[in-house]
Amino acid sequence: MMLPSPRPLVAAILSFCLGSSLLLAVADAKVRHYDWDISYQKKSPDCFEKLAVTVNGEAPGPTIRATQGDTVVVTVHNKLETENTAIHWHGIRQIDTPWADGVAGVTQCPILPGETFTYRFVVDRAGTYMYHAHYGMQRVAGLNGMIVVTVPEGVREPFTYDEEHTVLLEDWWHKSVYDQATGLSAKPFVFVGEPQSLLINGRGIFNCSKPVPATGTCNTSSPDCGLRSLFTVVPGKTYLLRIGSLTSLSSLSFEIEGHSMTVVEADGHYVRPFVVRNLFIYSGETYSVLVKADQDPMRNYWATSHIVGRNASTTPSGKAIVNYAGNDPQMTPPTTPTTGPPWNNTAIRVEQSRAIVAHPGYVVPAPARADRTLLLLNTQNNIDGHIKWTINGVSLHFPATPYLVSMKHGLTAAYDQRPPLDSYDLMGHDISAPAPTNGTIGSPVYRLAFDSVVDVVLQNSNMLNNMSETHPWHLHGHDFWVLGHGDGKFNPTTDAWRLLNVKDPIMKNTVPLHPDGWTAIRFHANNPGVWLFHCHIEAHVFMGMGVVFEEGVERVRRLPSSIMGCGHSKGLH
Ligand code: C2O
Ligand code: CU
């Protein structure tokens, strides 16, 4: 394979010199360059002043825009001074560039303060994606943003609209990321708690007249602070909203007062359109929805996000204004913002998950059966006084040497050689009972046969407090078919398989595992590399809620030396 970057330029020059139109298709693909300084800055996104990790001074960072087939080149300068970094391009499969996935400990060594690292990858499919830090819990500190990949010239989407906007949803804590991580690893465990606010495109509302922790202040004169108008609509026009969630903890419901939304895309795949009043969206998911400006144009409307799945009554809703053109963009809607659906109604959320299937014109048929099935039991365990999440009894700990390097170069001392279990007492475990006490911490790898078809059944269970909650699972390097969601315990031998949809399943990269239930997915292990599969709740993956897949690592081209240099890969640098 040729390196993708010089090609368009060379082709453009060639086609200019030779006057050849044959090369035009290639020449159309562009290289999109971004140059980013990553640094801490004081920000007041909800009026409370806090240090945030920013991209060129902004949090969230700029939206990356490209056309399908383009090459994106992001040069990252780590100016955090006392902290490493790594950036993941969430939803981009990194075909042929597994080293650009941006996961410290899996696909690269972290980028040291003062260092520059270049990510170069092709955006091979149109859709809505995101990026965020993938080093420790750094994502919580604000390093994130959206990636919009448009269809190539002449290709039509199965819907029409007049204009588009991005909507990035976050939750926000006043405690520093260090404080949060320290609590999670402490004995006794200290949970991060519910967020102080919910952000929509980087803005939230915190009531500064309430007593604030002694460690901080509200800065109401900050330009970051205050209600924001999300976008302006012209009556009668239709808008495409590309909505992404990069919450640390919260599952959300998003709605625009008085307007229904037609869901048309999920994680870069067209869905059979369905209409909702409120969209449930889990961390790591993206949805595109169509909204028609068909309401009374003499006023503005609320756009709101609400926490569902956890009892977070102390967290105010996220609020922004949808402005009808002609009105003052800051004109507060005359109504009280809605409070959202009841936080504990799991059934309506499962129902919406089940409504998401492939658009009839874009069904990618799933292979009829899998070569291997992994039953992954999600439990919370107390390991030597630390609260950990375990998957089939193992809590994932990232090794000092990135897996991609150690596996490609045979550095077997760098990670656990013992294969993890394909199923962990799944039938024997009572999912409503306390977790088994024999969990361990480790860094094993599931080695998948290259080109095989793999099923994963994620099985939820009760936490140590006897509650079960939502876990959005995200797979790097692939899209998977969502075969189904079920209640209770998955039974591999009886009728569970009959509930699965192989006819028109949606493909996604992130899917919720609902409370007390199971979720089944299928994917094709055909992207050479080493890939993380984890719960997208930042606290949970920090507590070990993930597994690592390897497939065809021997087919990966020579690794760039820029990803090496740490742990056992020192000599390779
Ligand atoms: Cu957006 Cu590994 O995650
Ligand atoms: Cu989780």
Side-chain angles (χ1 to χ4, degrees), residues 471 535 537 540 545:
H471 306 283
C535 174
I537 291 176
H540 289 182
M545 198 169 208

Side-chain angles (χ1 to χ4, degrees), residues 269-280:
H269 292 273
Y270 299 128
V271 307
R272 185 168 73 206
F274 64 100
V275 177
V276 294
R277 288 310 284 212
N278 69 288
L279 175 75
F280 294 111

Side-chain angles (χ1 to χ4, degrees), residues 203 227-229 300 321 323 327-333:
R203 286 231 193 160
L227 252 187
R228 169 174 286 178
S229 126
N300 290 343
I321 296 171
N323 168 235
N327 301 329
D328 175 354
Q330 298 297 351
M331 180 171 92
T332 308

Side-chain angles (χ1 to χ4, degrees), residues 205-233:
I205 302 289
F206 176 73
N207 185 352
C208 285
S209 62
K210 280 205 298 194
V212 295
T215 49
T217 50
C218 267
N219 178 358
T220 44
S221 60
S222 158
D224 305 334
C225 168
L227 252 187
R228 169 174 286 178
S229 126
L230 195 56
F231 52 88
T232 299
V233 298

Side-chain angles (χ1 to χ4, degrees), residues 71-84:
T71 297
V72 172
V73 180
V74 185
T75 304
V76 172
H77 309 283
N78 180 0
K79 299 199 170 165
L80 296 173
E81 311 297 353
T82 56
E83 194 171 320
N84 296 335

Side-chain angles (χ1 to χ4, degrees), residues 147-195:
I147 304 174
V148 171
V149 182
T150 51
V151 291
E153 275 277 316
V155 173
R156 290 179 67 123
E157 297 169 304
F159 44 83
T160 55
Y161 52 92
D162 299 298
E163 265 184 75
E164 67 169 69
H165 296 281
T166 55
V167 180
L168 179 58
L169 306 174
E170 294 171 88
D171 45 9
W172 192 249
W173 277 257
H174 293 168
K175 260 208 242 182
S176 76
V177 59
Y178 300 114
D179 213 337
Q180 295 183 41
T182 303
L184 294 175
S185 16
K187 254 202 244 190
F189 176 83
V190 183
F191 192 55
V192 297
E194 300 305 326

